[in-house]
Amino acid sequence: MVSRVIPVDPFDLVIFGGTGDLARRKILPGLFRRFCAGQMPADARIVGAARTDMDTAAYRAMVSDAISEFGGEFACEGTTLEKFLQQIDYISIDARGEKGWAELQEKMSGTDRVEAYYFSVSPSLFGDLAERLQHWGMADHESRIVVEKPFGRDLETARALNKTLATYFAESQIYRIDHYLGKETVQNLMAVRFGNMLFEPLWNAQYVDHIQITVAETVGVGGRGEYYDKSGAMRDMVQNHLMQLLCLIAMEPPARFDPDAVRDEKLKVIRALDPVEPHHIARGQYLAEVGNETENPDYRTAVNDPRSHTESFVALKAKISNWRWAGTPFYLRTGKRMSARSSEITVVFKETPHSIFAEDAGRHRNVLSIRLQPNEGITLGVTIKEPGPGGMRLIDVPLDMTFADALGDQDADHVDAYERLIMDVIRGNQTLFMRGDEVEAAWAWTDPLIQGWEARNDVPKPYDSGSDGPTVSTELMRRDGREWRKV
Ligand code: NAD
């Protein structure tokens, strides 16, 4: 079965920060892949706009390099890249000044196509860009802006940013990116939940023992040490990515698969979250990699602050106070320099109420695991009889719900999260983007936790590089008679 690619309408996409890391690693290679797939129309235009002085020819060369470095493999011939590059222009622009704006305005005037402006720049420039766009008459109702993370660093700053953007753009024009929502498996999670009769009746506290959400990275803070130290795992990962996943797994079925119906339900989940008790939070900081201390130093050395109290790991137990989930814990965990790179949501069902099998057959649980990376896919652990003679022994086997065989080529035609989200912007579909009130509600939940450990002067516990976090994280689970899944 070959995937069906529906071309989007012609568009003009301006990438502010078009020379930056994100543009080179994700946005531009992603657009090229959509071009190769035949989804990007031949008359769509991409305009890189950044502070660097360069002409269009130099920019196209930079884009070409970025595609060879980060583009992965394409079923695209050499001439296709040339054609793609012909659709790209560059303008040297200053978000805070006058430079480049008249040129951009001229380029964007006189078309009645979709106009999208991607803010792939420091968040400190988001307000300036919105103001400049309006000042130069580019904030009309056909235009959209795409805003990168981080969206604020607490409730107050997120509110201020929402207010600033709302001065120039309607909420329906603002696309706040959380690239986790663009992952194939995340959408498949919704399809599995709401497209089957099988799961929804069991999707509640009566049948689910607990849910784990893990986002583990093997990398350290790298060159982002200074930025990261002002943020930490809670702000950088939990407030956005993990909470978004939590919402999708816990929300009530929306009445329709439309942006506001979905986002209304997600918002209700965040608002139903209880405050987290301090002893239900485990924070950690990674130690140096043994034998490779110079290249992979400990967290405090990496951020150049021997007294830093910022966490590179956090685990917590969250509770959702509503009818569906009362009594079911949600364990969230994320960290750097962990044993493997893995993002996974696991739904652990309860044991059967009574086992008809002999004691030594063991008690078993169904586990539904939704893997976001690596190897996106969904598996359901089911209990069967161990084949062969010798009595009734039970074993758990994974039922692969990725259905690679059934989907064939379609499954292989893998679309990166950024590509999907950019195409959604062009189509005007906000379902996979965070609404302003959602972001504020998420900060309203995380702020008191952060303020709590700051007030207690909590010091994160050290953990070994390449481990699964500090022992306090294991204890958090053990106290409840549970265990983290292997990363
Ligand atoms: P970067 O520092 O690599 O690039 C910044 C870009 O902004 C450059 O193109 C620069 O020319 C441009 N710029 C700076 N000042 C400007 C000005 N006054 N006027 C016009 N352009 C200006 O940053 P990045 O890593 O590409 O990140 C961009 C945004 O994306 C940030 O908000 C970041 O938090 C977010 N983000 C990045 C990543 C990533 O992997 N890099 C991941 C998630 C989110």
Side-chain angles (χ1 to χ4, degrees), residues 118 146-149 151 175-183 186-187 235-246 248 266 372 417-418 420-421 431-435 438-439 442:
Y118 199 129
V146 184
V147 187
E148 264 298 334
K149 82 166 208 185
F151 200 92
Y175 291 72
R176 294 174 193 80
I177 282 228
D178 185 323
H179 70 273
Y180 273 61
L181 295 182
K183 289 182 181 289
V186 170
Q187 288 158 82
R235 287 192 170 98
D236 194 45
M237 298 296 289
V238 177
Q239 186 274 343
N240 39 63
H241 307 317
L242 277 84
M243 286 188 73
Q244 287 296 318
L245 300 180
L246 172 73
L248 294 176
K266 283 163 60 196
L372 277 66
Y418 275 93
R420 178 189 322 277
L421 293 173
T431 310
L432 301 175
F433 296 83
M434 297 181 293
R435 210 167 54 190
E438 255 186 273
V439 178

Side-chain angles (χ1 to χ4, degrees), residues 15-26 49-52 90 93-97 118-126 129 148-150 179 224 227 241 418:
I15 309 170
F16 292 110
T19 59
D21 177 68
L22 184 69
R24 284 184 295 112
R25 275 193 313 113
K26 292 288 181 186
R51 212 167 31 172
T52 323
Y90 181 77
I93 208 161
D94 183 2
R96 291 205 162 121
Y118 199 129
F119 293 5
S120 181
V121 294
S122 155
S124 60
L125 296 175
F126 292 169
L129 286 175
E148 264 298 334
K149 82 166 208 185
H179 70 273
R224 291 169 71 223
Y227 157 78
H241 307 317
Y418 275 93

Side-chain angles (χ1 to χ4, degrees), residues 241-434:
H241 307 317
L242 277 84
M243 286 188 73
Q244 287 296 318
L245 300 180
L246 172 73
C247 287
L248 294 176
I249 204 96
M251 70 182 183
E252 294 299 318
R256 292 171 307 282
F257 190 61
D258 86 21
D260 278 327
V262 172
R263 297 186 300 177
D264 285 347
E265 295 306 334
K266 283 163 60 196
L267 180 62
K268 284 185 209 160
V269 173
I270 305 177
R271 290 195 171 147
L273 280 165
D274 284 350
V276 182
E277 313 261 344
H279 65 284
H280 289 157
I281 305 175
R283 297 169 69 234
Q285 270 178 351
Y286 61 79
L287 295 169
E289 185 184 339
V290 178
N292 195 13
E293 290 80 359
T294 318
E295 211 169 301
N296 288 331
D298 65 284
Y299 176 80
R300 290 180 174 188
T301 305
V303 301
N304 207 11
D305 178 359
R307 281 192 297 276
S308 169
H309 285 185
T310 305
E311 75 286 353
S312 62
F313 173 98
V314 67
L316 59 86
K317 174 177 166 179
K319 290 187 203 149
I320 300 173
S321 275
N322 63 18
W323 273 48
R324 184 187 285 264
W325 294 118
T328 304
F330 288 74
Y331 299 96
L332 275 50
R333 161 178 75 152
T334 182
K336 292 196 175 289
R337 279 245 185 286
M338 290 178 65
S339 60
R341 175 172 172 264
S342 147
S343 302
E344 193 176 66
I345 307 170
T346 315
V347 181
V348 181
F349 289 90
K350 291 185 174 171
E351 289 180 359
T352 51
H354 165 72
S355 173
I356 64 167
F357 305 108
E359 273 302 295
D360 61 358
R363 298 295 290 269
H364 295 261
R365 289 176 166 181
N366 296 116
V367 175
L368 181 71
S369 63
I370 300 126
R371 247 185 349 270
L372 277 66
Q373 62 188 22
N375 313 323
E376 290 194 41
I378 302 181
T379 53
L380 175 66
V382 290
T383 303
I384 59 165
K385 177 190 170 297
E386 193 175 338
M392 195 65 162
R393 289 185 310 273
L394 304 185
I395 52 165
D396 293 331
V397 293
L399 187 67
D400 186 355
M401 297 169 65
T402 316
F403 303 120
D405 290 343
L407 295 173
D409 288 351
Q410 192 165 350
D411 188 53
D413 184 14
H414 191 81
V415 180
D416 178 76
Y418 275 93
E419 299 168 53
R420 178 189 322 277
L421 293 173
I422 295 170
M423 290 300 112
D424 276 359
V425 172
I426 305 302
R427 287 192 204 97
N429 184 347
Q430 288 185 305
T431 310
L432 301 175
F433 296 83
M434 297 181 293

